[in-house]
Amino acid sequence: AGAAGAMLAVAGTVIQRVSGNAMASPEVLGISAGTGLGVLAVVLLMPGAGVPVLLAAGMLGALASLAVLVGLNARSDYEPERVLLTGISVLFLFDAVAKIVLAGGDPRTQQLLAWISGTTYYVELPLALTVAVLGLVLFALIRPLQVWLDLLPLGMPTARSLGVNVGISRLLLLVLVALLTAGATLVVGPLSFVGLLAPNLVRIMGLARARHQLAGSAVLGALVMVMADWVGRMLLFPSEIPAGIVATLIGGSYFMWRLRRL
């Protein structure tokens, strides 16, 4: 839960800075839906598949979503508005396909219903460790790119005048967002509200530079998901509430309260 929360928060920070839109988040790109569709395909076609297969399927689903985004937006140098609109279209398309399959009542899909709600019920140690290591590797890859994240929000003309290849930088950052989101989605499902919540809360706290916002978002995202997982397991014990739902309830309520005080 901690690793997934940190990955989603970092992915949200990157996409918000690349797009210049504080309402952007990983699920808006359709990456979470693509990951879910990949996992769903494995559950239906390869019952009992191991962690490596699930991880590979989720990554392929995420990269398929990214391929659609790249194919439709390459000519515009990945203009943020077009990328977000394309991502929303991919999200609804993949989500519709997943719902059609789940509505079929196949018993093999019952385990996915809890996963879609954002649960860690079925996460075992190998998957948790794999995702945590993946997160650390991707964080290390993002660190050298922090200067792009400081310059891209200034706008395309300014970033280009300062020597940034806008098209290449946006593409590389989108690939990292896709991988971060895919890894986190495998653990907590396609609910990635923390990817919207954490970057905005960190910005409200005064961490505006890319380096500080990334670090703060990672810590806050991990704390939110761990707390949500614990509350979900303890609040109605022995019954459990999925961590994704608890994170959305707690985070959304706090977010609105904090905005009201500004």
Side-chain angles (χ1 to χ4, degrees):
M7 293 168 73
L8 288 171
V10 170
T13 300
V14 172
I15 194 59
Q16 286 181 18
R17 297 190 76 92
V18 169
S19 66
N21 187 338
M23 296 306 296
S25 61
E27 71 268 21
V28 173
L29 292 180
I31 304 298
S32 297
T35 304
L37 203 59
V39 173
L40 180 62
V42 168
V43 170
L44 291 175
L45 301 176
M46 302 174 62
V51 169
V53 177
L54 288 173
L55 188 63
M59 290 297 179
L60 287 175
L63 292 175
S65 300
L66 182 64
V68 174
L69 291 176
V70 171
L72 295 177
N73 294 281
R75 285 189 174 182
S76 66
D77 276 340
Y78 312 101
E79 182 182 354
E81 290 79 9
R82 286 176 57 89
V83 170
L84 293 178
L85 288 173
T86 306
I88 291 172
S89 301
V90 172
L91 167 64
F92 285 117
L93 176 63
F94 283 9
D95 189 53
V97 173
K99 285 181 178 177
I100 290 172
V101 175
L102 291 172
D106 192 315
R108 290 173 295 180
T109 64
Q110 294 306 304
Q111 182 175 327
L112 288 174
L113 292 176
W115 176 74
I116 288 173
S117 300
T119 182
T120 59
Y121 297 167
Y122 303 107
V123 179
E124 297 180 351
L125 186 59
L127 177 59
L129 291 176
T130 302
V131 170
V133 171
L134 176 64
L136 291 174
V137 171
L138 293 173
F139 295 162
L141 293 176
I142 288 176
R143 284 185 61 84
L145 309 181
Q146 291 173 359
V147 63
W148 288 351
L149 296 175
D150 278 322
L151 297 179
L152 287 174
L154 301 177
M156 185 183 295
T158 303
R160 279 180 171 164
S161 67
L162 293 172
V164 177
N165 187 321
V166 174
I168 295 297
S169 62
R170 285 175 174 170
L171 175 60
L172 289 177
L173 290 169
L174 285 174
V175 170
L176 291 173
V177 167
L179 295 175
L180 284 165
T181 305
T185 301
L186 289 172
V187 176
V188 294
L191 290 182
S192 48
F193 179 75
V194 70
L196 171 66
L197 173 72
N200 281 290
L201 285 180
V202 168
R203 188 182 297 109
I204 290 173
M205 294 174 186
L207 302 179
R209 293 288 300 275
R211 178 179 58 183
H212 301 145
Q213 191 181 12
L214 285 169
S217 294
V219 172
L220 185 60
L223 290 175
V224 167
M225 285 305 303
V226 169
M227 180 178 68
D229 194 47
W230 183 83
V231 170
R233 292 174 186 274
M234 296 296 128
L235 188 62
L236 299 177
F237 185 83
S239 299
E240 297 184 10
I241 307 172
I245 293 177
V246 176
T248 302
L249 291 172
I250 294 176
S253 301
Y254 176 76
F255 198 22
M256 289 188 291
W257 174 78
R258 189 63 187 257
L259 288 174
R260 182 176 176 272
R261 292 174 57 88
L262 292 179

